[in-house]
Structure formats: structure tokens, C-alpha cells
Amino acid sequence: MLASASPRRLDLLRQIGLKPDRVDPADIDEIPRPGELPPAHAIRLAEEKARAVMPRHPGAYILAADTVVACGRRILPKPLDAASARACLKMLSGRRHRVYGGIALASPDERLTLRRVDSHVAFKRLSDAEIAAYLCSGEWRGKAGGYAIQGRAAALIRWVSGSYSNVVGLPLFETFQLLIGRGYRPPCRANC
């Protein structure tokens, strides 16, 4: 069971052969707490999402995740408008930043396991024309930090260190290892 409404997370899971039997998004307040640092914010949100959904699905594996884009100690938003997205892109321009992925897995015995994955990303120095073109694409909508590395923003990123899928929205290697470590066995869909 996936406790997320993100189509990217669902696509990522399918990429490694996992198809959740249900998608039940958690409805939680995602506003950072005063003084909360980005790594702690990512883990807290993933945990709160899992805990919000657990009572509705007893005895199930429940996967929850959150992605936080940060410049230093500053958590970048999921922009609601082009002006906010422009501010994010200007801040990221020519700089390195971190993407923190928080994962929470509730196993059928109701044990909750948490993991955090850190990735580093470097944007090229962006011209005003590049920012304007990216904003026109609309790809920034609903994306942490105002960009989607799996889309047009790939042409703006000099390098990534760490998990690429974490930057997209779910660290696949770590997620799969966590599932296997907690006893999950993916169904074999082929003649094997």
C-alpha cells in the first residue's frame, strides 16, 4: 500500500516491478516546524504519512515517503505560482543543493522503520531566458524546489551525486532493500 498521491512515486515503483495494491494518500500538514532542519523534516513527514494511514490498513505493508529540496538550512517549497517557482530556480542557479528523501515503512506487525537518503544536485548558472522557458513548460507545478529532474530540468543540471531516483521522488534501491529487509516478497508475475 502506497501512502502517497504522487504519480512519480507510483511510476518509480512500477519501474522496479512493484505495483501497490492500493494508493491511499495521507492528508497531513506539511509545513515545516519552527527551527526544523531539512533532513528531520523529510523523515518526520514520511513518518506522519505512514502513521496517518496505518489504522486504515491493518496487517498491510504501508510505504510512505517525502522529498525535501534544500539550499543549506532553507527548505524550498512546492511552488504554487510562477513567481515562487522563479524564486526557487534563481536560488538554485549555479549552486549545489541537497535533496532529502524520507522513507517510512510500516510492516504487517505494525513496526515502523524509517530511512533517510541524501542526494546532491548542481544546477548550471541559469540565464533569465532559461528560467522563463522552464516556467513556461509548467513542469515546476507541484514539484519540491520547483523542478523535475526527470523532465526538461535535466538539461539544466550539471551533476547528481547519490540516488537519482531520490531526486525524482523515491530512492528505489533503499526502498526495495527496506521492503525485503522487513519480509516483503514481491509477487512473481512471469513464468519463473
Side-chain angles (χ1 to χ4, degrees), residues 71 88-97 121-127 130-131 156-159:
C71 272
C88 286
L89 293 171
K90 283 190 172 279
M91 182 176 292
L92 296 172
S93 177
R95 296 180 66 179
R96 297 176 184 184
H97 65 278
V121 180
F123 264 78
K124 70 183 284 290
R125 186 163 303 285
L126 303 174
S127 68
E130 288 170 318
I131 291 174
L156 309 175
I157 294 172
R158 291 183 14 239
W159 58 261

Side-chain angles (χ1 to χ4, degrees), residues 150-167:
Q150 72 277 19
R152 293 179 184 195
L156 309 175
I157 294 172
R158 291 183 14 239
W159 58 261
V160 175
S161 176
S163 170
Y164 172 83
S165 63
N166 182 48
V167 182

